[in-house]
Amino acid sequence: MQDFWWRSLWSLFPIGLLCLALSPSTGGHTALFLFIAWLLILLVSHLRHLRNLLRWLKKPDLSALPGASGVWEDAFSELYHELRRQSRSQIQLTSALERLQQAAGALPDGVVVLNAADQIEWCNSKAEHQLGLNLTKDEGQPIAYLVRQSEFASYLEDFNYGEPIKLRASRIPDVSLELQLVPFGEYQKLLICRDITHLEKIETMRRDFIADVSHELRTPLTVVVGFLETLKDINGAVPEGLRHYFDLMETQASRMRTLVDDLLVLSQLESSANPTQEQEIDMNGMLNALLDEANGLSGGKHHIALGEVDTGLNLHGSVEELRSAFGNLVSNAIRYTPEQGHIWIHWQKKGNEAAFSVQDSGIGIEPEHIPRLTERFYRVDRSRSRETGGTGLGLSIVKHILTRHQARLEIQSEFGKGSTFSAVFPAARVRSGN
Ligand code: ADP
């Protein structure tokens, strides 16, 4: 700063001294006039530099920085270096951004960047193709105007982006897409879009294969079971010593038939997303039928009763599917509760929702098994399941049926004390009857 003052004012010293030296011969006024004239020259020079700077700032061009002298030369040089630094970091930022866009463009999945108002800020070419977007035209447009399927609109509004959704691509025939929203930054979102047509085809092939094999096995098994039963019924056809083996064959063949039946049910449930023939279900009638069925299955070995029941509370859905799901929970309670144990069937409101529950005082389940119970063929105790005629598919079928009804399965259990399996239905499925 000292240097600044020195460089700005040094020229005043010689002219001041000259004026002082001249003043005795030319008179004080003339010397003062000379000094003021010099000050004016300096002022004009500063103003000229300032005008050059202002002109240049209107159209800054690093190669055409105005020439200057004195402190202005320093000021212009500082300005030049600062602008060089800025331009270098801008070039670096631009190239980083370009690289990022190139990387996002090369992704095998579609990517759309949405702002806080769900308007498109940017998307890669894959997303343009999959969702029928055109970045040049659609930038700033709300994504909901361009992806018009109702499932996507509710997904966007739900703010529950943990799981992706599946959609049919509206602009490309026979293409299935999986869409997932990922929130980032301040209320921004990434929409990731994946072509799952190939995966869906493999899944359909797997489903069809299981359904075909099950169909093919069903007829021969029915014949085998039928012949075994007939042979056992014909007097003397089965020698007494072999009867035990015939019983075993019959049990195993029946078990296989039940397994094949369950596999067929599962593949039917998987082949369509919605329940068939929905209607208002008379829950009183359903509960009484389940109670009768339970008593029949138990053969009087358990104490079975209706527990807390909200009469007049009905359900909208498929009678056939829900009867099978509820029946499965009841039959499990009987199979996993020792003789003389208690079983209660409840049907009641839970806030806006309604729950069908089967509570038992049976063997209970250790906590680590609970999350896996609805997996196919998952059994806590394989031999017990087999002994009681289980296939390991029951809860998997229950879960499928409940999902088709937008309901969920809740399991509470205490090992050695008993379990409660609840099917919880959303308000939209619940009807308040008379
Ligand atoms: P399974 O045909 O073997 O019963 P499920 O899918 O119906 O197959 O049930 C899976 C497993 O969950 C069963 O093998 C059993 O270990 C456990 N389970 C189901 N219901 C109960 C219950 N009420 N009490 C104790 N364990 C149960």
mmCIF file of all heavy atoms in Angstrom, residues 262 328-329 331-337 358 360 362-365 372-382 384-386 388-398 413 418-421, ligand 1:
data_model
loop_
_atom_site.group_PDB
_atom_site.id
_atom_site.type_symbol
_atom_site.label_atom_id
_atom_site.label_comp_id
_atom_site.label_asym_id
_atom_site.label_seq_id
_atom_site.Cartn_x
_atom_site.Cartn_y
_atom_site.Cartn_z
ATOM 1 N N ASP A 262 -50.380 -76.538 -4.970
ATOM 2 C CA ASP A 262 -49.920 -75.245 -4.449
ATOM 3 C C ASP A 262 -49.082 -74.509 -5.486
ATOM 4 O O ASP A 262 -49.187 -73.290 -5.643
ATOM 5 C CB ASP A 262 -49.111 -75.433 -3.161
ATOM 6 C CG ASP A 262 -50.012 -75.543 -1.936
ATOM 7 O OD1 ASP A 262 -51.248 -75.502 -2.123
ATOM 8 O OD2 ASP A 262 -49.492 -75.687 -0.810
ATOM 9 N N ASN A 328 -55.509 -70.675 4.963
ATOM 10 C CA ASN A 328 -54.117 -71.061 5.145
ATOM 11 C C ASN A 328 -53.601 -70.665 6.531
ATOM 12 O O ASN A 328 -52.914 -71.446 7.195
ATOM 13 C CB ASN A 328 -53.284 -70.317 4.101
ATOM 14 C CG ASN A 328 -52.498 -71.264 3.263
ATOM 15 O OD1 ASN A 328 -51.801 -72.092 3.805
ATOM 16 N ND2 ASN A 328 -52.636 -71.154 1.957
ATOM 17 N N LEU A 329 -53.952 -69.436 6.958
ATOM 18 C CA LEU A 329 -53.492 -68.968 8.278
ATOM 19 C C LEU A 329 -54.118 -69.814 9.383
ATOM 20 O O LEU A 329 -53.458 -70.183 10.360
ATOM 21 C CB LEU A 329 -53.849 -67.481 8.476
ATOM 22 C CG LEU A 329 -53.177 -66.493 7.513
ATOM 23 C CD1 LEU A 329 -53.582 -65.055 7.842
ATOM 24 C CD2 LEU A 329 -51.650 -66.626 7.575
ATOM 25 N N SER A 331 -55.259 -72.945 9.081
ATOM 26 C CA SER A 331 -54.733 -74.312 9.093
ATOM 27 C C SER A 331 -53.313 -74.340 9.675
ATOM 28 O O SER A 331 -52.947 -75.270 10.391
ATOM 29 C CB SER A 331 -54.817 -74.935 7.702
ATOM 30 O OG SER A 331 -53.583 -74.931 7.081
ATOM 31 N N ASN A 332 -52.508 -73.279 9.404
ATOM 32 C CA ASN A 332 -51.170 -73.218 10.028
ATOM 33 C C ASN A 332 -51.280 -73.177 11.545
ATOM 34 O O ASN A 332 -50.531 -73.853 12.250
ATOM 35 C CB ASN A 332 -50.422 -71.966 9.557
ATOM 36 C CG ASN A 332 -49.721 -72.192 8.231
ATOM 37 O OD1 ASN A 332 -49.738 -73.296 7.704
ATOM 38 N ND2 ASN A 332 -49.135 -71.147 7.691
ATOM 39 N N ALA A 333 -52.234 -72.364 12.061
ATOM 40 C CA ALA A 333 -52.385 -72.235 13.515
ATOM 41 C C ALA A 333 -52.683 -73.617 14.118
ATOM 42 O O ALA A 333 -52.134 -73.984 15.163
ATOM 43 C CB ALA A 333 -53.501 -71.248 13.837
ATOM 44 N N ILE A 334 -53.531 -74.391 13.425
ATOM 45 C CA ILE A 334 -53.868 -75.719 13.954
ATOM 46 C C ILE A 334 -52.656 -76.648 13.882
ATOM 47 O O ILE A 334 -52.341 -77.362 14.831
ATOM 48 C CB ILE A 334 -55.070 -76.313 13.168
ATOM 49 C CG1 ILE A 334 -56.303 -75.470 13.458
ATOM 50 C CG2 ILE A 334 -55.315 -77.772 13.538
ATOM 51 C CD1 ILE A 334 -57.438 -75.691 12.500
ATOM 52 N N ARG A 335 -51.930 -76.581 12.749
ATOM 53 C CA ARG A 335 -50.804 -77.505 12.555
ATOM 54 C C ARG A 335 -49.634 -77.200 13.481
ATOM 55 O O ARG A 335 -48.846 -78.088 13.808
ATOM 56 C CB ARG A 335 -50.362 -77.465 11.089
ATOM 57 C CG ARG A 335 -51.374 -78.149 10.188
ATOM 58 C CD ARG A 335 -51.144 -77.874 8.727
ATOM 59 N NE ARG A 335 -49.747 -77.990 8.390
ATOM 60 C CZ ARG A 335 -49.083 -77.073 7.705
ATOM 61 N NH1 ARG A 335 -49.689 -75.976 7.282
ATOM 62 N NH2 ARG A 335 -47.823 -77.241 7.440
ATOM 63 N N TYR A 336 -49.507 -75.926 13.880
ATOM 64 C CA TYR A 336 -48.354 -75.579 14.726
ATOM 65 C C TYR A 336 -48.767 -75.287 16.174
ATOM 66 O O TYR A 336 -48.042 -74.601 16.890
ATOM 67 C CB TYR A 336 -47.578 -74.403 14.112
ATOM 68 C CG TYR A 336 -47.002 -74.781 12.765
ATOM 69 C CD1 TYR A 336 -47.574 -74.320 11.579
ATOM 70 C CD2 TYR A 336 -45.926 -75.652 12.686
ATOM 71 C CE1 TYR A 336 -47.066 -74.708 10.348
ATOM 72 C CE2 TYR A 336 -45.418 -76.052 11.455
ATOM 73 C CZ TYR A 336 -45.998 -75.580 10.290
ATOM 74 O OH TYR A 336 -45.495 -75.981 9.075
ATOM 75 N N THR A 337 -49.952 -75.790 16.586
ATOM 76 C CA THR A 337 -50.373 -75.642 17.984
ATOM 77 C C THR A 337 -50.612 -77.043 18.551
ATOM 78 O O THR A 337 -51.379 -77.825 17.964
ATOM 79 C CB THR A 337 -51.668 -74.804 18.072
ATOM 80 O OG1 THR A 337 -51.411 -73.534 17.486
ATOM 81 C CG2 THR A 337 -52.124 -74.610 19.506
ATOM 82 N N VAL A 358 -55.215 -64.407 13.048
ATOM 83 C CA VAL A 358 -55.358 -65.723 13.672
ATOM 84 C C VAL A 358 -54.302 -65.802 14.764
ATOM 85 O O VAL A 358 -53.107 -65.661 14.489
ATOM 86 C CB VAL A 358 -55.153 -66.858 12.638
ATOM 87 C CG1 VAL A 358 -55.345 -68.202 13.318
ATOM 88 C CG2 VAL A 358 -56.108 -66.709 11.476
ATOM 89 N N ASP A 360 -52.660 -67.913 17.995
ATOM 90 C CA ASP A 360 -52.615 -69.271 18.567
ATOM 91 C C ASP A 360 -51.688 -69.320 19.768
ATOM 92 O O ASP A 360 -50.866 -68.433 19.969
ATOM 93 C CB ASP A 360 -52.192 -70.288 17.491
ATOM 94 C CG ASP A 360 -50.777 -70.081 16.988
ATOM 95 O OD1 ASP A 360 -49.854 -70.047 17.825
ATOM 96 O OD2 ASP A 360 -50.589 -69.935 15.761
ATOM 97 N N GLY A 362 -49.566 -71.687 20.167
ATOM 98 C CA GLY A 362 -48.756 -72.814 19.685
ATOM 99 C C GLY A 362 -47.276 -72.687 19.959
ATOM 100 O O GLY A 362 -46.853 -72.008 20.897
ATOM 101 N N ILE A 363 -46.485 -73.292 19.066
ATOM 102 C CA ILE A 363 -45.042 -73.432 19.330
ATOM 103 C C ILE A 363 -44.280 -72.117 19.181
ATOM 104 O O ILE A 363 -43.179 -71.974 19.691
ATOM 105 C CB ILE A 363 -44.418 -74.498 18.396
ATOM 106 C CG1 ILE A 363 -44.643 -74.137 16.922
ATOM 107 C CG2 ILE A 363 -44.984 -75.878 18.683
ATOM 108 C CD1 ILE A 363 -43.891 -75.025 15.951
ATOM 109 N N GLY A 364 -44.861 -71.160 18.486
ATOM 110 C CA GLY A 364 -44.184 -69.864 18.308
ATOM 111 C C GLY A 364 -42.987 -69.978 17.364
ATOM 112 O O GLY A 364 -42.612 -71.074 16.938
ATOM 113 N N ILE A 365 -42.417 -68.823 17.038
ATOM 114 C CA ILE A 365 -41.320 -68.799 16.060
ATOM 115 C C ILE A 365 -40.215 -67.908 16.606
ATOM 116 O O ILE A 365 -40.482 -66.820 17.132
ATOM 117 C CB ILE A 365 -41.826 -68.206 14.716
ATOM 118 C CG1 ILE A 365 -43.075 -68.953 14.240
ATOM 119 C CG2 ILE A 365 -40.754 -68.255 13.639
ATOM 120 C CD1 ILE A 365 -43.944 -68.139 13.321
ATOM 121 N N ARG A 372 -38.336 -64.333 6.997
ATOM 122 C CA ARG A 372 -38.167 -65.234 5.835
ATOM 123 C C ARG A 372 -39.357 -66.176 5.620
ATOM 124 O O ARG A 372 -39.356 -66.966 4.667
ATOM 125 C CB ARG A 372 -36.894 -66.073 6.032
ATOM 126 C CG ARG A 372 -35.651 -65.197 6.148
ATOM 127 C CD ARG A 372 -34.413 -65.962 5.912
ATOM 128 N NE ARG A 372 -34.411 -66.633 4.609
ATOM 129 C CZ ARG A 372 -33.528 -67.552 4.264
ATOM 130 N NH1 ARG A 372 -32.580 -67.890 5.095
ATOM 131 N NH2 ARG A 372 -33.590 -68.114 3.067
ATOM 132 N N LEU A 373 -40.367 -66.115 6.518
ATOM 133 C CA LEU A 373 -41.439 -67.115 6.460
ATOM 134 C C LEU A 373 -42.227 -67.126 5.154
ATOM 135 O O LEU A 373 -42.753 -68.166 4.763
ATOM 136 C CB LEU A 373 -42.432 -66.909 7.618
ATOM 137 C CG LEU A 373 -41.883 -67.198 9.026
ATOM 138 C CD1 LEU A 373 -42.983 -67.026 10.050
ATOM 139 C CD2 LEU A 373 -41.302 -68.600 9.102
ATOM 140 N N THR A 374 -42.300 -65.950 4.479
ATOM 141 C CA THR A 374 -43.121 -65.921 3.258
ATOM 142 C C THR A 374 -42.320 -66.329 2.008
ATOM 143 O O THR A 374 -42.846 -66.315 0.903
ATOM 144 C CB THR A 374 -43.736 -64.523 3.035
ATOM 145 O OG1 THR A 374 -42.675 -63.583 3.059
ATOM 146 C CG2 THR A 374 -44.771 -64.180 4.072
ATOM 147 N N GLU A 375 -41.038 -66.666 2.201
ATOM 148 C CA GLU A 375 -40.261 -67.164 1.048
ATOM 149 C C GLU A 375 -40.744 -68.571 0.695
ATOM 150 O O GLU A 375 -41.095 -69.341 1.577
ATOM 151 C CB GLU A 375 -38.770 -67.267 1.410
ATOM 152 C CG GLU A 375 -38.094 -65.947 1.529
ATOM 153 C CD GLU A 375 -36.661 -66.102 2.032
ATOM 154 O OE1 GLU A 375 -36.078 -67.190 1.919
ATOM 155 O OE2 GLU A 375 -36.142 -65.101 2.570
ATOM 156 N N ARG A 376 -40.704 -68.895 -0.611
ATOM 157 C CA ARG A 376 -41.120 -70.243 -1.014
ATOM 158 C C ARG A 376 -40.268 -71.311 -0.353
ATOM 159 O O ARG A 376 -39.052 -71.182 -0.320
ATOM 160 C CB ARG A 376 -40.919 -70.407 -2.515
ATOM 161 C CG ARG A 376 -41.955 -69.745 -3.294
ATOM 162 C CD ARG A 376 -41.456 -69.661 -4.687
ATOM 163 N NE ARG A 376 -42.044 -68.480 -5.264
ATOM 164 C CZ ARG A 376 -42.314 -68.355 -6.531
ATOM 165 N NH1 ARG A 376 -42.039 -69.336 -7.356
ATOM 166 N NH2 ARG A 376 -42.865 -67.278 -6.981
ATOM 167 N N PHE A 377 -40.892 -72.319 0.146
ATOM 168 C CA PHE A 377 -40.255 -73.501 0.750
ATOM 169 C C PHE A 377 -39.449 -73.190 2.011
ATOM 170 O O PHE A 377 -38.651 -74.009 2.433
ATOM 171 C CB PHE A 377 -39.355 -74.234 -0.266
ATOM 172 C CG PHE A 377 -40.123 -74.770 -1.441
ATOM 173 C CD1 PHE A 377 -39.916 -74.273 -2.718
ATOM 174 C CD2 PHE A 377 -41.084 -75.760 -1.266
ATOM 175 C CE1 PHE A 377 -40.637 -74.747 -3.802
ATOM 176 C CE2 PHE A 377 -41.801 -76.256 -2.348
ATOM 177 C CZ PHE A 377 -41.585 -75.747 -3.609
ATOM 178 N N TYR A 378 -39.636 -71.993 2.576
ATOM 179 C CA TYR A 378 -38.929 -71.714 3.842
ATOM 180 C C TYR A 378 -39.717 -72.313 4.990
ATOM 181 O O TYR A 378 -40.888 -72.005 5.191
ATOM 182 C CB TYR A 378 -38.749 -70.207 4.066
ATOM 183 C CG TYR A 378 -37.839 -69.932 5.254
ATOM 184 C CD1 TYR A 378 -36.471 -69.910 5.095
ATOM 185 C CD2 TYR A 378 -38.363 -69.764 6.534
ATOM 186 C CE1 TYR A 378 -35.621 -69.713 6.179
ATOM 187 C CE2 TYR A 378 -37.521 -69.566 7.624
ATOM 188 C CZ TYR A 378 -36.155 -69.538 7.432
ATOM 189 O OH TYR A 378 -35.327 -69.352 8.503
ATOM 190 N N ARG A 379 -39.094 -73.211 5.725
ATOM 191 C CA ARG A 379 -39.773 -73.825 6.867
ATOM 192 C C ARG A 379 -38.838 -73.792 8.064
ATOM 193 O O ARG A 379 -37.641 -74.082 7.903
ATOM 194 C CB ARG A 379 -40.155 -75.278 6.535
ATOM 195 C CG ARG A 379 -41.361 -75.325 5.617
ATOM 196 C CD ARG A 379 -41.531 -76.655 4.973
ATOM 197 N NE ARG A 379 -40.586 -76.821 3.873
ATOM 198 C CZ ARG A 379 -40.646 -77.803 3.000
ATOM 199 N NH1 ARG A 379 -41.609 -78.694 3.086
ATOM 200 N NH2 ARG A 379 -39.761 -77.905 2.039
ATOM 201 N N VAL A 380 -39.382 -73.456 9.239
ATOM 202 C CA VAL A 380 -38.538 -73.395 10.430
ATOM 203 C C VAL A 380 -38.108 -74.813 10.770
ATOM 204 O O VAL A 380 -36.930 -75.086 11.000
ATOM 205 C CB VAL A 380 -39.303 -72.757 11.613
ATOM 206 C CG1 VAL A 380 -38.442 -72.758 12.872
ATOM 207 C CG2 VAL A 380 -39.742 -71.343 11.245
ATOM 208 N N ASP A 381 -39.080 -75.710 10.788
ATOM 209 C CA ASP A 381 -38.779 -77.103 11.128
ATOM 210 C C ASP A 381 -39.343 -77.962 9.988
ATOM 211 O O ASP A 381 -40.536 -78.220 9.922
ATOM 212 C CB ASP A 381 -39.449 -77.420 12.478
ATOM 213 C CG ASP A 381 -39.204 -78.863 12.909
ATOM 214 O OD1 ASP A 381 -38.762 -79.663 12.053
ATOM 215 O OD2 ASP A 381 -39.471 -79.168 14.078
ATOM 216 N N ARG A 382 -38.448 -78.357 9.093
ATOM 217 C CA ARG A 382 -38.846 -79.061 7.871
ATOM 218 C C ARG A 382 -39.652 -80.321 8.188
ATOM 219 O O ARG A 382 -40.688 -80.577 7.573
ATOM 220 C CB ARG A 382 -37.569 -79.433 7.115
ATOM 221 C CG ARG A 382 -37.740 -79.626 5.652
ATOM 222 C CD ARG A 382 -36.371 -79.618 4.998
ATOM 223 N NE ARG A 382 -36.029 -78.270 4.581
ATOM 224 C CZ ARG A 382 -36.324 -77.773 3.382
ATOM 225 N NH1 ARG A 382 -36.938 -78.525 2.499
ATOM 226 N NH2 ARG A 382 -36.014 -76.546 3.063
ATOM 227 N N ARG A 384 -41.367 -81.145 10.888
ATOM 228 C CA ARG A 384 -42.692 -80.900 11.456
ATOM 229 C C ARG A 384 -43.668 -80.453 10.355
ATOM 230 O O ARG A 384 -44.818 -80.874 10.316
ATOM 231 C CB ARG A 384 -42.617 -79.831 12.546
ATOM 232 C CG ARG A 384 -43.999 -79.585 13.111
ATOM 233 C CD ARG A 384 -44.027 -78.776 14.364
ATOM 234 N NE ARG A 384 -45.415 -78.783 14.855
ATOM 235 C CZ ARG A 384 -45.748 -78.942 16.083
ATOM 236 N NH1 ARG A 384 -44.836 -79.142 16.990
ATOM 237 N NH2 ARG A 384 -47.009 -78.927 16.431
ATOM 238 N N SER A 385 -43.163 -79.595 9.474
ATOM 239 C CA SER A 385 -44.012 -79.119 8.374
ATOM 240 C C SER A 385 -44.491 -80.311 7.547
ATOM 241 O O SER A 385 -45.654 -80.425 7.193
ATOM 242 C CB SER A 385 -43.219 -78.141 7.518
ATOM 243 O OG SER A 385 -43.781 -78.031 6.253
ATOM 244 N N ARG A 386 -43.528 -81.216 7.232
ATOM 245 C CA ARG A 386 -43.864 -82.385 6.410
ATOM 246 C C ARG A 386 -44.870 -83.281 7.115
ATOM 247 O O ARG A 386 -45.867 -83.714 6.535
ATOM 248 C CB ARG A 386 -42.590 -83.163 6.123
ATOM 249 C CG ARG A 386 -42.390 -83.266 4.638
ATOM 250 C CD ARG A 386 -41.187 -84.065 4.302
ATOM 251 N NE ARG A 386 -40.244 -83.237 3.582
ATOM 252 C CZ ARG A 386 -38.944 -83.252 3.770
ATOM 253 N NH1 ARG A 386 -38.419 -84.034 4.686
ATOM 254 N NH2 ARG A 386 -38.168 -82.487 3.053
ATOM 255 N N THR A 388 -47.076 -82.604 9.188
ATOM 256 C CA THR A 388 -48.431 -82.057 9.258
ATOM 257 C C THR A 388 -48.999 -81.765 7.864
ATOM 258 O O THR A 388 -49.998 -81.074 7.723
ATOM 259 C CB THR A 388 -48.441 -80.752 10.091
ATOM 260 O OG1 THR A 388 -47.495 -79.872 9.498
ATOM 261 C CG2 THR A 388 -48.105 -80.988 11.537
ATOM 262 N N GLY A 389 -48.316 -82.270 6.844
ATOM 263 C CA GLY A 389 -48.837 -82.128 5.472
ATOM 264 C C GLY A 389 -48.526 -80.783 4.848
ATOM 265 O O GLY A 389 -49.195 -80.368 3.904
ATOM 266 N N GLY A 390 -47.501 -80.105 5.357
ATOM 267 C CA GLY A 390 -47.164 -78.779 4.810
ATOM 268 C C GLY A 390 -46.347 -78.880 3.528
ATOM 269 O O GLY A 390 -45.665 -79.880 3.296
ATOM 270 N N THR A 391 -46.418 -77.834 2.699
ATOM 271 C CA THR A 391 -45.640 -77.817 1.455
ATOM 272 C C THR A 391 -44.569 -76.729 1.489
ATOM 273 O O THR A 391 -43.705 -76.684 0.623
ATOM 274 C CB THR A 391 -46.561 -77.513 0.250
ATOM 275 O OG1 THR A 391 -47.177 -76.246 0.483
ATOM 276 C CG2 THR A 391 -47.608 -78.580 0.068
ATOM 277 N N GLY A 392 -44.668 -75.838 2.468
ATOM 278 C CA GLY A 392 -43.718 -74.721 2.527
ATOM 279 C C GLY A 392 -44.100 -73.596 1.572
ATOM 280 O O GLY A 392 -43.331 -72.667 1.356
ATOM 281 N N LEU A 393 -45.294 -73.689 0.996
ATOM 282 C CA LEU A 393 -45.722 -72.658 0.026
ATOM 283 C C LEU A 393 -46.892 -71.821 0.557
ATOM 284 O O LEU A 393 -47.264 -70.820 -0.057
ATOM 285 C CB LEU A 393 -46.137 -73.314 -1.292
ATOM 286 C CG LEU A 393 -45.006 -73.967 -2.089
ATOM 287 C CD1 LEU A 393 -45.558 -74.731 -3.276
ATOM 288 C CD2 LEU A 393 -44.023 -72.913 -2.566
ATOM 289 N N GLY A 394 -47.478 -72.264 1.695
ATOM 290 C CA GLY A 394 -48.710 -71.629 2.199
ATOM 291 C C GLY A 394 -48.588 -70.127 2.402
ATOM 292 O O GLY A 394 -49.370 -69.337 1.847
ATOM 293 N N LEU A 395 -47.565 -69.700 3.169
ATOM 294 C CA LEU A 395 -47.454 -68.263 3.476
ATOM 295 C C LEU A 395 -47.052 -67.463 2.247
ATOM 296 O O LEU A 395 -47.390 -66.286 2.120
ATOM 297 C CB LEU A 395 -46.470 -68.028 4.620
ATOM 298 C CG LEU A 395 -46.971 -68.486 6.000
ATOM 299 C CD1 LEU A 395 -45.926 -68.198 7.071
ATOM 300 C CD2 LEU A 395 -48.289 -67.811 6.375
ATOM 301 N N SER A 396 -46.339 -68.125 1.329
ATOM 302 C CA SER A 396 -45.988 -67.450 0.074
ATOM 303 C C SER A 396 -47.267 -67.148 -0.709
ATOM 304 O O SER A 396 -47.421 -66.046 -1.270
ATOM 305 C CB SER A 396 -45.074 -68.396 -0.692
ATOM 306 O OG SER A 396 -44.590 -67.805 -1.806
ATOM 307 N N ILE A 397 -48.187 -68.109 -0.740
ATOM 308 C CA ILE A 397 -49.479 -67.898 -1.418
ATOM 309 C C ILE A 397 -50.250 -66.784 -0.703
ATOM 310 O O ILE A 397 -50.799 -65.881 -1.338
ATOM 311 C CB ILE A 397 -50.293 -69.218 -1.433
ATOM 312 C CG1 ILE A 397 -49.592 -70.234 -2.336
ATOM 313 C CG2 ILE A 397 -51.731 -68.982 -1.868
ATOM 314 C CD1 ILE A 397 -50.227 -71.613 -2.367
ATOM 315 N N VAL A 398 -50.244 -66.836 0.655
ATOM 316 C CA VAL A 398 -50.963 -65.803 1.424
ATOM 317 C C VAL A 398 -50.430 -64.421 1.065
ATOM 318 O O VAL A 398 -51.193 -63.494 0.783
ATOM 319 C CB VAL A 398 -50.801 -66.053 2.951
ATOM 320 C CG1 VAL A 398 -51.348 -64.893 3.757
ATOM 321 C CG2 VAL A 398 -51.476 -67.352 3.355
ATOM 322 N N SER A 413 -44.789 -63.076 17.105
ATOM 323 C CA SER A 413 -44.664 -64.417 17.656
ATOM 324 C C SER A 413 -43.685 -64.428 18.819
ATOM 325 O O SER A 413 -42.745 -63.633 18.846
ATOM 326 C CB SER A 413 -44.181 -65.372 16.569
ATOM 327 O OG SER A 413 -44.240 -66.682 17.043
ATOM 328 N N GLY A 418 -46.649 -68.722 21.340
ATOM 329 C CA GLY A 418 -47.706 -68.620 20.331
ATOM 330 C C GLY A 418 -47.448 -67.515 19.327
ATOM 331 O O GLY A 418 -46.482 -66.753 19.456
ATOM 332 N N SER A 419 -48.321 -67.443 18.336
ATOM 333 C CA SER A 419 -48.128 -66.484 17.245
ATOM 334 C C SER A 419 -49.447 -65.831 16.870
ATOM 335 O O SER A 419 -50.522 -66.394 17.107
ATOM 336 C CB SER A 419 -47.624 -67.191 15.991
ATOM 337 O OG SER A 419 -46.638 -68.120 16.295
ATOM 338 N N THR A 420 -49.332 -64.638 16.269
ATOM 339 C CA THR A 420 -50.504 -63.997 15.666
ATOM 340 C C THR A 420 -50.130 -63.578 14.250
ATOM 341 O O THR A 420 -49.160 -62.839 14.055
ATOM 342 C CB THR A 420 -50.936 -62.749 16.468
ATOM 343 O OG1 THR A 420 -51.169 -63.156 17.809
ATOM 344 C CG2 THR A 420 -52.205 -62.140 15.897
ATOM 345 N N PHE A 421 -50.847 -64.112 13.285
ATOM 346 C CA PHE A 421 -50.642 -63.753 11.880
ATOM 347 C C PHE A 421 -51.809 -62.841 11.481
ATOM 348 O O PHE A 421 -52.962 -63.250 11.580
ATOM 349 C CB PHE A 421 -50.634 -65.005 10.990
ATOM 350 C CG PHE A 421 -49.348 -65.787 11.076
ATOM 351 C CD1 PHE A 421 -49.020 -66.526 12.207
ATOM 352 C CD2 PHE A 421 -48.454 -65.786 10.007
ATOM 353 C CE1 PHE A 421 -47.839 -67.237 12.289
ATOM 354 C CE2 PHE A 421 -47.263 -66.503 10.072
ATOM 355 C CZ PHE A 421 -46.948 -67.230 11.214
HETATM 356 P P1 ADP B 1 -45.830 -75.008 5.662
HETATM 357 O O1 ADP B 1 -46.561 -75.713 4.613
HETATM 358 O O2 ADP B 1 -44.479 -75.593 5.964
HETATM 359 O O3 ADP B 1 -46.643 -74.767 6.879
HETATM 360 P P2 ADP B 1 -46.043 -72.166 5.264
HETATM 361 O O4 ADP B 1 -45.543 -71.327 4.154
HETATM 362 O O5 ADP B 1 -47.490 -72.170 5.543
HETATM 363 O O6 ADP B 1 -45.470 -73.605 4.991
HETATM 364 O O7 ADP B 1 -45.297 -71.692 6.590
HETATM 365 C C1 ADP B 1 -43.898 -71.540 6.564
HETATM 366 C C2 ADP B 1 -43.305 -71.860 7.924
HETATM 367 O O8 ADP B 1 -43.778 -70.891 8.874
HETATM 368 C C3 ADP B 1 -43.787 -73.181 8.500
HETATM 369 O O9 ADP B 1 -42.997 -74.247 8.032
HETATM 370 C C4 ADP B 1 -43.634 -72.959 9.991
HETATM 371 O O10 ADP B 1 -42.311 -73.199 10.376
HETATM 372 C C5 ADP B 1 -43.902 -71.480 10.159
HETATM 373 N N1 ADP B 1 -45.281 -71.176 10.635
HETATM 374 C C6 ADP B 1 -46.344 -70.835 9.891
HETATM 375 N N2 ADP B 1 -47.427 -70.622 10.671
HETATM 376 C C7 ADP B 1 -47.034 -70.849 11.943
HETATM 377 C C8 ADP B 1 -47.701 -70.789 13.217
HETATM 378 N N3 ADP B 1 -48.972 -70.428 13.336
HETATM 379 N N4 ADP B 1 -46.963 -71.072 14.310
HETATM 380 C C9 ADP B 1 -45.667 -71.410 14.204
HETATM 381 N N5 ADP B 1 -44.981 -71.496 13.045
HETATM 382 C C10 ADP B 1 -45.654 -71.201 11.914
#
